[in-house]
Amino acid sequence: MGKESCVAAIGQAGENLVNLAVVMNGSSHSAGGHGAVFGSKKLKAIGVKGTGSVKIGKDKKELMDLDAYVMKEIVGANNQHVVPSTPQPWSEFVYENSRWTAREGLTWGASEGNIDTGIAAPGDVNKVGYRTMKAIKDLGPVAAKYTVRMGGCQSCPIRCHAQMNIPQLEQYGVSPYAANTCMGWFSPAGVMFKGTKDQKEEGDGNMITRALGSQLADDYGVWCNYGSIGRDFQYAYESGILKNVLPEDEYNSIPWNLLEAGDPAFLKEFYRRITFKEGEFSHLGDGTYHIAKRWNFGADYWDTKKYSMWSPLGFPKHHASDESYQVGAIINCMFNRDAQSHSHQNFISSGLPVDVLKKIAEKLWGSGDAIDPPANYTPMNQYKAKFAKYGVIRNCLHDSLTLCNWMWPLTASPLKERDYMGDTSLESKYFSVVTGIDTTEEELDLMGERVFTLHRALTVKEMGTTDMRGKHDLMVNWIFDIDPDKKPFTEGTIKMDRDDMQLALTMFYKEMGWDEKTGAPTRATLERLNMKDVADELAKLGLLPA
Ligand code: SF4
């Protein structure tokens, strides 16, 4: 179709109707587990060819001025981290885990000219794309010399997808060129849970494993359920379940010696069997909920932190209570998959000290008590409920507006002269300029609230119950039972309190205008959000709270 085109396609996993099949849109860009929907319609791909320019509603100078402001004053590195990972002359803070990894001497080692990421200070707009040297975050220090450049999504200045040239991949019959980010790299390492063996230098076994697995998963079009495919496999193997459920000849046909030896060639077996639905083993591609039922997983799967599950409905934690306490817990309860929401986490992990974050929180949600210091959290309060609502609503807005929730909302800024305050009105400003429809931050947030309340109403309808608290907003036991010698709300633990979490749900339901007992949307709220038709439909089905 030519260079002006863009293609969304399924791989063989989608063709074979594997539950965990994705729609791929270029290497390292994929969408959840929708590939089998394409496959069921015998739809291999959709190609789009651009034939013109994108028109905007207002004067283009307004858009360019807005871009300049964001690039100079607001934007940070990936995940809107606004503090560097190493000491820099421009920053008063350092945060070791920051994704703002650029520094002098850290290069894209496989690039022409061995480009140095250098000092990429705030305001230096032409170096924004150097800030996030994510190859070393995702693949380890050894990855620097195999990095061609950082790539990313269309038009995004951040560039958080590492583009690699790893010649060692060719021994497995795949291209040496690999690109991915985050879980795309991590998940294959989860499959190789026995560890990886270095080949020539320290850390290269891990890098090669991640790169090979990401290529196989992307080429076949297999989703990892936010890493759960590896954890499901690990549990089934370690518990002995796999040996029991697989026919003996099938079990013996699997090259376990490769897994035990940390040889990434095992990944070729793993992904191929799932993709082509080879034998009982391939049911790992059904997803956690189904495989746990089919293979009768024990309670220990859900109740052990190591397996990272969040909900008995079959999805894993994703920036949950272990990182942001009640706020993360509420957000993880709200979705029907892992909570793919970074609105709260980007702010908490921005790298700014807690006292700075608290000042910003006070302006946005009424009190610094909306956030807690690490592993020293406090009981639920109304400010946390407001913060959680902000997180959920902005996430829905970003998905609807096609903004990246891995960056947005831009709640913090790297600039001291702004008191590190970001700009939460930016989504509405961009919306106004692009559409030509003047829209305030409050009006746009109301649209986000409408989107998420409709999502909730659909969940009520599909589950056939208003009892969201008892049937949907569930949490696994490990979050309440870890650290048996410690009590919740004491320093040094992430242990949650059962009563406090029920109170947290009640306070969040109240913020959303939902029924405080069940967590289902009420008629009054649906009508306030212009969804009388939804209220009428739920009433007809007997699914409106009394
Ligand atoms: S849009 Fe998001 S995921 Fe894509 S390159 Fe930018 S920060 Fe990364």
Side-chain angles (χ1 to χ4, degrees):
M1 290 178 65
K3 282 186 178 171
E4 305 81 15
S5 65
C6 198
V7 174
I10 57 169
Q12 292 100 324
E15 292 172 24
N16 292 322
L17 309 185
V18 174
N19 283 2
L20 297 188
V22 296
V23 178
M24 288 297 302
N25 172 222
S27 175
S28 80
H29 298 78
S30 66
H34 309 98
V37 177
F38 268 39
S40 69
K41 298 176 188 304
K42 307 257 184 254
L43 175 61
K44 176 67 181 170
I46 297 173
V48 178
K49 191 166 185 173
T51 54
S53 56
V54 177
K55 309 269 188 300
I56 63 168
K58 294 205 175 186
D59 191 297
K60 67 183 175 195
K61 182 170 181 312
E62 278 191 56
L63 183 61
M64 290 172 78
D65 288 348
L66 194 52
D67 278 346
Y69 159 63
V70 171
M71 291 291 280
K72 281 188 185 143
E73 293 194 29
I74 309 294
V75 82
N78 181 233
N79 281 190
Q80 190 57 2
H81 288 180
V82 297
V83 168
S85 66
T86 53
Q88 304 274 317
W90 56 268
S91 177
E92 64 175 328
F93 305 121
V94 177
Y95 174 52
E96 196 187 349
N97 293 328
S98 172
R99 295 183 179 185
W100 195 317
T101 40
R103 60 177 160 80
E104 285 177 337
L106 177 63
T107 65
W108 295 348
S111 63
E112 276 181 35
N114 193 27
I115 291 168
D116 195 305
T117 55
I119 306 285
D124 191 349
V125 296
N126 290 325
K127 289 196 175 164
V128 171
Y130 289 145
R131 290 177 187 170
T132 305
M133 172 40 170
K134 198 147 180 296
I136 58 164
K137 298 286 290 180
D138 291 349
L139 299 169
V142 71
K145 69 179 173 197
Y146 296 93
T147 303
V148 178
R149 52 173 283 186
M150 293 303 300
C153 309
Q154 170 68 31
S155 306
C156 174
I158 297 299
R159 323 311 289 161
C160 75
H161 295 230
Q163 298 188 329
M164 313 296 293
N165 181 359
I166 306 173
Q168 297 94 312
L169 290 173
E170 289 181 293
Q171 66 187 295
Y172 304 102
V174 300
S175 163
Y177 302 111
N180 227 309
T181 190
C182 193
M183 196 51 84
W185 297 123
F186 303 155
S187 177
V191 173
M192 297 295 293
F193 60 86
K194 292 279 185 180
T196 53
K197 197 161 162 238
D198 288 340
Q199 298 186 4
K200 282 195 182 146
E201 55 193 321
E202 190 178 346
D204 70 350
N206 179 45
M207 175 185 71
I208 292 164
T209 296
R210 292 176 183 217
L212 174 63
S214 84
Q215 281 211 28
L216 293 167
D218 280 2
D219 285 352
Y220 286 137
V222 176
W223 186 45
C224 70
N225 192 15
Y226 198 61
S228 281
I229 199 168
R231 294 185 290 263
D232 295 347
F233 171 52
Q234 180 179 4
Y235 176 77
Y237 182 86
E238 290 179 340
S239 64
I241 286 175
L242 205 52
K243 194 158 196 178
N244 285 336
V245 297
L246 261 56
E248 193 177 346
D249 55 346
E250 183 185 347
Y251 189 86
N252 291 335
S253 73
I254 295 172
W256 298 113
N257 57 322
L258 297 178
L259 178 71
E260 296 287 343
D263 185 336
F266 180 79
L267 294 169
K268 296 179 78 170
E269 287 283 330
F270 182 85
Y271 289 110
R272 192 202 69 238
R273 285 172 190 255
I274 289 171
T275 299
F276 294 98
K277 292 194 166 174
E278 293 177 17
E280 183 66 25
F281 184 87
S282 71
H283 286 285
L284 284 164
D286 293 355
T288 302
Y289 180 82
H290 296 290
I291 200 69
K293 278 197 161 177
R294 184 180 181 90
W295 290 352
N296 200 18
F297 280 13
D300 55 328
Y301 185 60
W302 312 96
D303 294 338
T304 308
K305 182 171 186 281
K306 157 175 150 180
Y307 297 115
S308 289
M309 291 311 296
W310 178 260
S311 166
L313 297 177
F315 37 88
K317 72 181 179 72
H318 194 151
H319 301 310
S321 60
D322 50 335
E323 296 176 82
S324 47
Y325 316 107
Q326 296 96 338
V327 174
I330 292 167
I331 290 172
N332 271 254
C333 284
M334 287 303 116
F335 294 91
N336 300 331
R337 51 163 292 174
D338 68 287
Q340 193 54 260
S341 176
H342 276 247
S343 316
H344 62 306
Q345 193 63 31
N346 290 352
F347 178 58
I348 289 168
S349 304
S350 62
L352 294 168
V354 171
D355 58 326
V356 177
L357 293 177
K358 278 182 174 284
K359 283 188 188 138
I360 297 173
E362 189 174 349
K363 286 187 187 144
L364 295 177
W365 306 299
S367 167
D369 292 343
I371 58 168
D372 294 302
N376 193 11
Y377 80 103
T378 55
M380 183 62 189
N381 61 52
Q382 69 183 99
Y383 312 107
K384 293 184 183 187
K386 287 183 193 301
F387 183 19
K389 181 179 179 182
Y390 170 83
V392 168
I393 283 178
R394 291 292 170 117
N395 185 11
C396 287
L397 268 183
H398 300 152
D399 288 351
S400 305
L401 299 170
T402 65
L403 286 172
C404 174
N405 187 252
W406 236 24
M407 285 299 297
W408 296 81
L410 305 181
T411 314
S413 152
L415 294 187
K416 185 177 183 183
E417 53 267 37
R418 291 182 62 94
D419 292 329
Y420 300 103
M421 185 78 196
D423 189 337
T424 58
S425 71
L426 282 170
E427 291 96 325
S428 63
K429 286 179 176 147
Y430 272 113
F431 184 86
S432 301
V433 170
V434 170
T435 63
I437 304 165
D438 284 321
T439 306
T440 65
E441 181 177 356
E442 291 71 26
E443 287 167 341
L444 201 62
D445 275 346
L446 196 66
M447 293 183 207
E449 189 176 346
R450 184 179 301 137
V451 171
F452 191 65
T453 301
L454 178 60
H455 176 285
R456 186 75 162 181
L458 285 165
T459 302
V460 166
K461 184 180 176 189
E462 290 300 315
M463 291 187 75
T465 176
T466 55
D467 186 13
M468 294 290 96
R469 185 192 291 270
K471 299 273 172 36
H472 181 274
D473 301 341
L474 306 174
M475 293 158 259
V476 288
N477 286 319
W478 68 260
I479 67 168
F480 303 111
D481 296 338
I482 50 169
D483 296 342
D485 299 335
K486 293 199 164 128
K487 287 191 175 3
F489 319 123
T490 56
E491 194 165 356
T493 187
I494 56 169
K495 180 181 202 149
M496 304 301 288
D497 179 86
R498 286 184 168 83
D499 290 341
D500 182 71
M501 268 317 305
Q502 288 308 315
L503 174 66
L505 288 176
T506 304
M507 292 176 94
F508 179 76
Y509 298 160
K510 189 174 178 189
E511 276 298 320
M512 295 298 295
W514 298 344
D515 178 48
E516 289 177 38
K517 184 163 165 247
T518 61
T522 61
R523 174 173 283 283
T525 291
L526 288 164
E527 292 191 358
R528 173 175 64 83
L529 296 170
N530 285 339
M531 292 191 287
K532 180 178 178 305
D533 55 336
V534 176
D536 291 345
E537 170 80 5
L538 290 177
K540 211 161 60 187
L541 296 168
L543 293 173
L544 263 189

